[in-house]
Amino acid sequence: MKAKNAVMLSIPIIICVIFIIVPILRLIGLICDLDFVFYNEAAIVITQAVLAIGAAVALFVVKPEYKRTGRIFLILSAPISLLNALCFADAEWKLSIIFAVVWSGCIFASYLKFTPDSSFKAIAAVVSVLLAIALVVCFIVGIVYNAFVHSFAVYESIDSMHGTYRADLGTSENVLGSKTEVYINKNEPEFKAILGCFYLKPIQVFEGEDYEIKTVTIDWLDDSTVIINGDAYKVTEE
């Protein structure tokens, strides 16, 4: 019985710990002005959804009665799961948002079922509702944005002299037409984390008409200076 109670107590704690990781990584990227790229986004969202479904099933089958510590983590799990879901509102894998809704729904249902009414629960409910609204808004904005702006399609990539940077020449299309662009990316991450790596954000150094894509010339003067159509661009502050 003690072992069973320990397992039940650990469920909301595990949920909170697992689901707070991505928001923390996103926050670090925001503070450091870096892009965070997952090693495998699909594997992460599927794992989180399976974990949330398993936790919800276990709770509804066993019907545990949580005391103070368990209640605190169970209450926290609702806004944390929605905050985690919000981090996938602009995910590259489009099914990510569906899995995010699944795990948020499972955790929120468990939160409503197994936490007694309290001021702390009311506050968590308000925060959860606000996060849910933010998730819906971001999702709608993402749909509208994708309807007007398509992903950047790489036509050619040219590495710098020592391979530190990469110049990506390609096209970006929208409902108004297409244009030629060149972005500078760093090949190696700034540092690695638990679920992915932090990269410098791409730097746009050229924009032109779509027909120019086959006439744009790209050369590297050195490992930090790129020459595009005869114009030099410094890609570092060194």
Side-chain angles (χ1 to χ4, degrees), residues 6 24-25 72 74-75 80 89 95 107 119 121 129 131-132 140 169 180-181 186 221 226 229:
I24 289 175
L25 293 174
I72 290 175
L74 195 57
I75 290 173
I80 287 176
L95 292 179
I107 294 175
S119 57
K121 180 180 180 179
V129 170
L131 288 172
I140 294 174
L169 168 65
T180 298
E181 297 175 337
K186 194 171 184 181
L221 179 63
V226 63
N229 291 345

Side-chain angles (χ1 to χ4, degrees), residues 15 18-19 22 38-55 84-85 88 91 93-104 106-107 195:
I15 289 293
I18 295 297
F19 281 76
V22 172
F38 292 107
Y39 292 130
N40 191 325
E41 183 179 285
I44 292 170
V45 296
I46 292 173
T47 300
Q48 290 187 152
V50 170
L51 176 62
I53 293 172
N84 182 286
F88 291 93
W93 191 46
K94 300 309 177 186
L95 292 179
S96 294
I97 192 64
I98 297 177
F99 283 96
V101 171
V102 170
W103 76 56
S104 298
C106 289
I107 294 175
L195 302 176

Side-chain angles (χ1 to χ4, degrees), residues 92-139:
E92 292 186 6
W93 191 46
K94 300 309 177 186
L95 292 179
S96 294
I97 192 64
I98 297 177
F99 283 96
V101 171
V102 170
W103 76 56
S104 298
C106 289
I107 294 175
F108 197 70
S110 301
Y111 150 81
L112 291 176
K113 177 69 175 178
F114 298 102
T115 54
D117 292 337
S118 65
S119 57
F120 191 21
K121 180 180 180 179
I123 294 173
V126 172
V127 173
S128 297
V129 170
L130 293 176
L131 288 172
I133 293 173
L135 177 62
V136 172
V137 170
C138 289
F139 183 54

Side-chain angles (χ1 to χ4, degrees), residues 6-28:
V7 171
M8 288 297 102
L9 175 61
S10 68
I11 287 178
I13 297 175
I14 292 173
I15 289 293
C16 287
V17 171
I18 295 297
F19 281 76
I20 198 63
I21 293 175
V22 172
I24 289 175
L25 293 174
R26 292 288 194 186
L27 179 61
I28 292 173

